[in-house]
Amino acid sequence: MNNEGVDESKRQFLTSALTVVGAVGTGYLAVPFLAQMQPSVKAMAAGAPVEVDLSKMESGQLIRVAWRGKPVWILNRTKAVLETLKTLEDQLSDPHSRDSIQPTTSKNSFRAIKPEIFVAVGLCTHFGCSPTFRPEIAPNDLGAEWKGGFFCPCHGSRFDLAGRVYRGVPAPTNLEIPPHHYIKDTLLVIGETTEGKAA
């Protein structure tokens, strides 16, 4: 092949121009593709921290809120309940929550930042059913040993009022404690660490 009469500078210019146009075109294609991989505003809001005002919460009351599509329980435990928790350890599978999911601020005998306020994800750790709140003492259907707690009617798992699982039931671990902290004494934030970072 005869290369006489070929202008190398024009060839180099055209090659460079086509490379730039190709790169820009690829960028235009990539931006929408990458943008669609970002979570939607609705999805980001679903994972956002949730603030809960506890100022009107009564002793013994359980309230429910949603966080990341999960039910979260907030229980204002009485002094009697706190005393009872200490007496149950020999009946529990993991009384010290060594194999459970909870923030370090809740890794204590009450599984809470404040002993009286218990915060937990309201899903059984067996198959994800939602246990029922059963605060009564020794009901006929749960037996004389029942001191109040959470009962999963799906497969019979039992948890005390600190979300600790009893021995001999299908649930393998204690209820999950979500990341949470207090902005002020009666204002709880679920889904953030104490440093304010989303969990």
Side-chain angles (χ1 to χ4, degrees):
M1 181 174 176
N2 187 357
N3 285 335
E4 283 183 32
V6 173
D7 188 341
E8 289 296 327
S9 63
K10 284 184 181 178
R11 178 180 281 176
Q12 183 63 38
F13 172 77
L14 286 173
T15 302
S16 299
L18 286 173
T19 302
V20 169
V21 168
V24 169
T26 302
Y28 273 107
L29 289 173
V31 167
F33 177 74
L34 293 173
Q36 68 140 359
M37 294 174 67
Q38 296 295 321
S40 68
V41 173
K42 186 176 180 181
M44 288 189 286
V50 176
E51 289 187 10
V52 185
D53 181 5
L54 306 178
S55 61
K56 295 179 180 165
M57 199 173 184
E58 297 176 8
S59 183
Q61 182 181 6
L62 176 78
I63 60 174
R64 296 167 178 86
V65 297
W67 171 68
R68 290 188 176 176
K70 300 176 186 177
V72 174
W73 298 330
I74 304 163
L75 174 63
N76 190 350
R77 297 182 288 203
T78 64
K79 288 182 182 178
V81 165
L82 296 177
E83 288 298 317
T84 300
L85 292 177
K86 299 172 188 174
T87 68
L88 299 173
E89 291 188 359
D90 61 337
Q91 301 174 47
L92 304 172
S93 179
D94 184 15
H96 304 293
S97 301
R98 291 188 178 103
D99 300 318
S100 302
I101 297 173
Q102 72 258 316
T104 55
T105 52
S106 298
K107 196 165 186 177
N108 52 53
S109 58
F110 300 110
R111 301 190 78 215
I113 296 171
K114 296 181 177 187
E116 69 278 10
I117 303 295
F118 175 61
V119 180
V121 174
L123 296 174
C124 181
T125 56
H126 181 224
F127 278 143
C129 304
S130 191
T132 56
F133 176 45
R134 298 292 302 273
E136 65 273 24
I137 306 296
N140 290 335
D141 61 331
L142 295 175
E145 298 296 315
W146 184 256
K147 307 286 187 202
F150 303 98
F151 175 71
C152 187
C154 299
H155 301 98
S157 292
R158 298 171 180 224
F159 304 87
D160 73 355
L161 290 171
R164 300 176 298 179
V165 67
Y166 280 82
R167 283 197 196 112
V169 300
T173 58
N174 296 341
L175 295 177
E176 178 184 345
I177 308 295
H180 63 283
H181 69 99
Y182 293 87
I183 295 177
K184 56 184 184 179
D185 195 46
T186 59
L187 189 57
L188 174 69
V189 177
I190 299 167
E192 274 187 348
T193 62
T194 51
E195 291 81 29
K197 296 176 185 172

